[in-house]
Amino acid sequence: MKVGLVGFARSGKTTIFNALTGMSAEVGGFEKKREAAIAVVKVPDPRIDALAEIVHPERNKYAEVTFLDFPPPEERKTGLETEALVQMRECEALALVVRAFADATATTAVDPVRDMRGFQDELILADLAVIEKRIERLKKEKGKERERDMLDRCHKILEEEKPLRSVSFLPDEEGMLAGFAFLSRKPMLIVYNVAESALREALPQEVIDYTEREKLLMVSICGKVEMEIAQLDEEERVLFSADLGLTESAKDRFILQAYALLNLMSFFTAGPMEARAWTITRGMSAVKAAGKIHSDIERGFIRAEVISYDDYIRYRGESGCRDAGRARLEGKDYIMQDGDVVHFRFKV
Ligand SMILES: Nc1nc2c(ncn2[C@@H]2O[C@H](COP(=O)(O)OP(=O)(O)O)[C@@H](O)[C@H]2O)c(=O)[nH]1
Ligand SMILES: [Mg+2]
């Protein structure tokens, strides 16, 4: 999963990036770079460790999230940078960092709702530009009425200052839309970057109202504190976090919300080689899930041997589950459940 950290300059993107990844990219810098910094983190999942205790695999493989930290737009220039736009379109989700802490060097007062709206507008403008260019093109081409109609409809929605995320499309439109990778259509998580002094305070009502109205999920993080925590060693981290009343790290909370936002879940494979988590969308069928591992397995799919996670742990692995009658054979259309431990049978 690829998540882009976006937002206005000095909202704390790089600080949050460091908090989430344990990196130490330069904070407060006005990077000359135009491309995003990239880091990959493992998705913490204690279920993998529990499976490994039973099968003793050679290695554990966790799911991964790639974070991109976007540089601020060039000063005096409006709009998003072309280079950044290309990378943003490749992200599966955006995390909009909004500043809710006072900053002596900031040129504007703290106003998260203004910033959320403002950035949303940037995304809408970027999408409008793409649509207008494409519509011009299509005027010179014959046919493609379906695409024309769809783009006209998108144009209208955006002109009303609404993101494409807020409306639903027909399945064949979804197919046409995919190639455009519209930014305002991407799932977006709000990262509310609070001041250390406000860690225990309730969120302002207007922020709650706005995110509810726009149906946006939000995590509240104090970037500065979380970055310091992420850079401590394990033992100090536990002590320091407990002191502040933080039970889960920013990374854990963020990833949980990102999974919810993208409607994701994990299934597992466990054997002598590895215990491994695979991330899929909820509601996916067994045959499609098999394709996540390898297209050959999807093509030659015969059946899936499925054990629910709880049973796997209770009966200490596969043979125990078989003896207890807890190992199931499922067909192509079986809907995968979170935590399923699976063996796919397939012909080559
Ligand atoms: N007080 C406070 N300052 C922060 C917090 N997060 C970031 N900052 C400061 O805000 C400034 C901009 O942060 P940076 O991460 O570089 O923002 P970016 O431009 O969005 O990447 C830096 O001086 C940070 O130290 C926070 O949670 N609390
Ligand atoms: Mg930065």
Side-chain angles (χ1 to χ4, degrees), residues 13-14 26 29 31 69-70 72:
K13 293 180 297 299
T14 302
E26 188 202 351
E31 306 93 310
D69 171 28
F70 285 94

Side-chain angles (χ1 to χ4, degrees), residues 112-147:
V113 174
R114 175 201 62 209
D115 291 350
M116 285 188 273
R117 266 206 199 102
F119 203 83
Q120 177 110 290
D121 288 345
E122 295 289 344
L123 300 178
I124 287 175
L125 284 175
D127 286 349
L128 271 174
V130 173
I131 289 180
E132 281 162 10
K133 227 162 116 189
R134 180 69 186 155
I135 288 180
E136 274 311 303
R137 262 261 166 92
L138 288 176
K139 278 183 185 158
K140 298 184 200 122
E141 288 181 35
K142 285 219 159 47
K144 309 223 168 141
E145 282 79 15
R146 292 282 298 146
E147 189 182 344

